Amino acid sequence: MNPTLIKCLIPNLLLLALAGFAYFKAGQFDTGTEGGFVGPDLWPRIICVVLALTSAIGIIAALVSVEAQTSEEDEALESMLAVPETHPRLVWIAVAATGLYVAALTSIGYLCATMLYAMALLVIGGMRRWAMVPIYGAILAIVFTIIFMKIVYVALPLGEGMFKSVSLFAMQLLGIH
Amino acid sequence: MNLLHDLGLGFMQVFQPYDLLMLVVGLLVGMLVSIMPGLGFVMGVILALPFTYKMEIEPAVILLTSIYFAGTYGGCFTTILYRIPGEPNDVPLLWDGYTMAQKEGAAKPLGWALVAALIGGLVSSVAMVLLATPLTEVALRFNAEDYFGAILFGLTMVVSLAGKELTKAFASLCLGLLVACIGVDSTYGASRFTFGVPILGDGVQLVAVLVGMYGLGEVFKRIGQGLKVKGIEGAQVQKVETSFPKWKEIWQIKGSIVRSSIIGTLLGVVPGAGATVTSFICYGVERQYSRDRKKLGTGHPSGIVAPQIGSTASVAGHLIPMLTLGIPGSAATAVILAAFLLHGVQPGPMLMADPASRLIVYTILASMFVSVIGMCAIGFFWIRLVVKVLKIPQYLLNSIVVLFCLVGAFADRNSLSDMWMILIFGVIGYLFEKYKFPVSPMVLGAILGPLAENNLMRSMVIHKGDWTALFTQPLSGALMGMAILSVLVPSLRSIIHWLRRRERHLDARR
């Protein structure tokens, strides 16, 4: 099958399945109303029907459409605005790093977690001055701690055990009480 | 007279030290984010949002509004100087702005852009201040059906402006409306789509949707692109100076100025027609109808003035429906609406009806004038310093944005669940970009979904489940008709376009 066709079909099929699933789940809401009158399922069901119709049209359009023929003007404009995706894997590495960061925040605390995460982001972003990576990471973690704890007064996670001591010591040095 | 009195009070409030400071900070941030390639004014307002949690409502909204205003102007510098459109709405400036810079030096096109931003901003601000009270009076007469019709029309307009991707825009809107359904329903108290997860009981936080889709999603997309920015590699540093055009020169293109000011202001009111659409339409109109249309593209002032006026004029146009009807028409106004909601204030006609909250509205309206003049002053005096941000490496900028997104969202409720939500919506935002689904309909759907549902349910309860009431009431009927037309017209146009293309394709095969 044509890869472009598959790329068009997959999102629409997923959306159609989602619409069906959500419609089914909406039927299970505790409506608390007598039959024949509107309930909390009405609005979600309307949306599901519209979503299903839209996806079906998207699928039909993908199946019957001829190869895209964009005008020269459109192409010129698109090339001016768009940059092609060249590193899709890096995106998922960044997503995983972000997930790990959020998961680790409670146990290792904001300061340490942010330093490690910032370092990871810098490397993912293409920084290759290895000696500078930890320095930049530390600066970012400190600056963000000051901004959010000292200026915006947000109680960021301190971590547990040894990490809590490190966070408290750093806060003392930064004058955060 | 009441209007002038209220506006005067608004100006007095804007010139309070803290509010004025926030305005200046907003203008600088707006300039910076619109100059930095890859960022934009939407990202700017999102990054500033967490700082507004602890502020009063006036400085919070002034900060965000001034970022929005400055963001529509700042990008012209990189476009004219380095051929890097800071924002998509700056693309039309490439054709005449950059060309003029190559021919006559950058000072002149920068001067034209400054004059255009000033005129566009001031004209649309005046028009919107005059429109605010009549619009509120109309909105106060709205019943549930009318409100539902108005919201539906706003949402369908956002979809209809998605161009070729109409079905994707519709799907995006439906997803946003479904996301808004998550949590406990406000009419019946029923849990919907919570799947037994306690944090979903409160619904999905607006901030998570906004920051995830526009902020983190955008960063993920740029990581996928290797953090490359079109044009920056070849950027040649030029001398940054601004020289004003002469009165005579301005008078010569008065037609372009008047046309673009009217179009920019009117299009601003239309939901979905953001600065980009307005800028392109203003340029297109000049190309079609201007006396000097043949000179456009060769470095003509009309080609700079028209898109710049359109971009800046659209901002005030977007703010008024948001303030008077509670319907945001663009991504940036959606964030500003979120700021209102985070402060427990629901924008809409009641905001103007109450004298205490009316001052908030007029303070924001007054801040539009100060923002326009302020951004032009910054553009004239400090731009040499501001363009130095181009030297910040992209990997560092990227890390800063991600940290702001994540910690900023955490700061809202001190909840790690919100960070997870942002990550989820960030991934959705990235997938949307990858598969070319427009993001704005989903975000606006998530914001306006509860309002639309509440009004639909109220109407259904009042009319005992009779849905025809939506079409039989005069105003709601007209709005519903316009909503249907706004979807039907582009759909039919797409079908005709597709049939013609198919015919051409078949002819070529024969």
Side-chain angles (χ1 to χ4, degrees), chain A residues 46-159:
Chain A
I46 294 172
I47 301 164
C48 291
V49 170
V50 177
L51 181 61
L53 278 174
T54 309
S55 320
I57 293 169
I59 291 168
I60 294 166
L63 287 172
V64 299
S65 77
V66 289
E67 281 176 29
Q69 292 168 350
T70 47
S71 66
E72 277 177 21
E73 259 181 39
D74 282 353
E75 271 176 18
L77 193 62
E78 235 164 68
S79 70
M80 208 177 277
L81 290 170
V83 180
E85 187 178 49
T86 50
H87 302 73
R89 270 189 204 167
L90 277 184
V91 178
W92 298 109
I93 294 172
V95 171
T98 310
L100 276 175
Y101 170 63
V102 181
L105 265 178
T106 325
S107 46
I108 69 171
Y110 176 74
L111 192 74
C112 299
T114 302
M115 187 180 154
L116 294 171
Y117 180 55
M119 284 163 61
L121 282 177
L122 290 167
V123 174
I124 291 167
M127 188 177 183
R128 293 295 178 265
R129 289 152 69 198
W130 299 109
M132 295 302 284
V133 170
I135 297 169
Y136 272 52
I139 292 171
L140 282 173
I142 291 168
V143 169
F144 272 84
T145 306
I146 292 171
I147 291 174
F148 281 95
M149 290 188 104
K150 207 167 179 177
I151 300 173
V152 192
Y153 298 114
V154 179
L156 294 166
L158 298 176

Side-chain angles (χ1 to χ4, degrees), chain A residues 125, chain B residues 36-38 222 227 229 232 390 392-399:
Chain B
M36 286 185 217
R222 292 184 53 227
L227 297 179
V229 180
I232 199 161
L390 280 172
I392 298 176
Q394 288 291 310
Y395 51 74
L396 186 60
L397 203 60
N398 206 47
S399 311

